[in-house]
Amino acid sequence: IIARPANWLVLAGIFVAGSSLGLNLDIVGRLPFDTPLQMMAVDGFLYGACFLACDPACSPNTKTGKWLYGLLIGSVAVMMRCFSNYTEGMMSAILIGNLFAPTIDALSRLNNSKRNEREEG
């Protein structure tokens, strides 16, 4: 983050979505790990979040897009790890996020242009 190859917005989105969804699943008793912190510390979650999801070539370029991209990856990773037998849900979540990254970027740019038109008019 200090050297700027990874964007902190993507990391923050992943950890916000992962921890909040993990905490809610822990409250209802559906989390297959002891704690949400343990869920994020094992099986490649941190590696995927810090190195693979923050690849600037695959992530959106807008600030809103980066937040949505991180939230999507974090929530899909937790859902896949909790409701399937596939423990490496983070890698699949990153692929799903990369699939939707251009759409998220285009929608956030469209939203920003409409907001700018409303402010000018």
Side-chain angles (χ1 to χ4, degrees), residues 3-95:
R4 304 261 187 229
N7 194 307
W8 71 272
L9 295 173
V10 176
L11 279 174
I14 291 171
F15 289 119
V16 164
S19 61
S20 64
L21 190 57
L23 186 62
N24 287 328
L25 289 171
D26 190 31
I27 289 170
V28 297
R30 295 287 302 182
L31 190 69
F33 299 94
D34 292 337
T35 63
L37 183 63
Q38 181 191 13
M39 176 197 61
M40 290 191 292
V42 298
D43 292 338
F45 191 93
L46 288 175
Y47 176 76
C50 294
F51 295 110
L52 300 177
C54 291
D55 183 19
C58 299
S59 64
N61 295 322
T62 60
K63 285 185 179 182
T64 307
K66 289 178 193 274
W67 270 109
L68 292 174
Y69 178 73
L71 292 171
L72 174 71
I73 290 175
S75 59
V76 169
V78 171
M79 296 296 274
M80 289 185 78
R81 296 178 87 191
C82 291
F83 295 113
S84 71
N85 292 330
Y86 185 53
T87 59
E88 283 302 318
M90 185 57 157
M91 303 311 152
S92 294
I94 292 169
L95 290 174

Side-chain angles (χ1 to χ4, degrees), residues 94-116:
I94 292 169
L95 290 174
I96 290 170
N98 288 343
L99 178 71
F100 287 108
T103 305
I104 291 171
D105 216 12
L107 290 175
S108 63
R109 282 191 181 129
L110 181 67
N111 188 22
N112 287 339
S113 67
K114 285 184 180 180
R115 189 177 328 146
N116 290 338

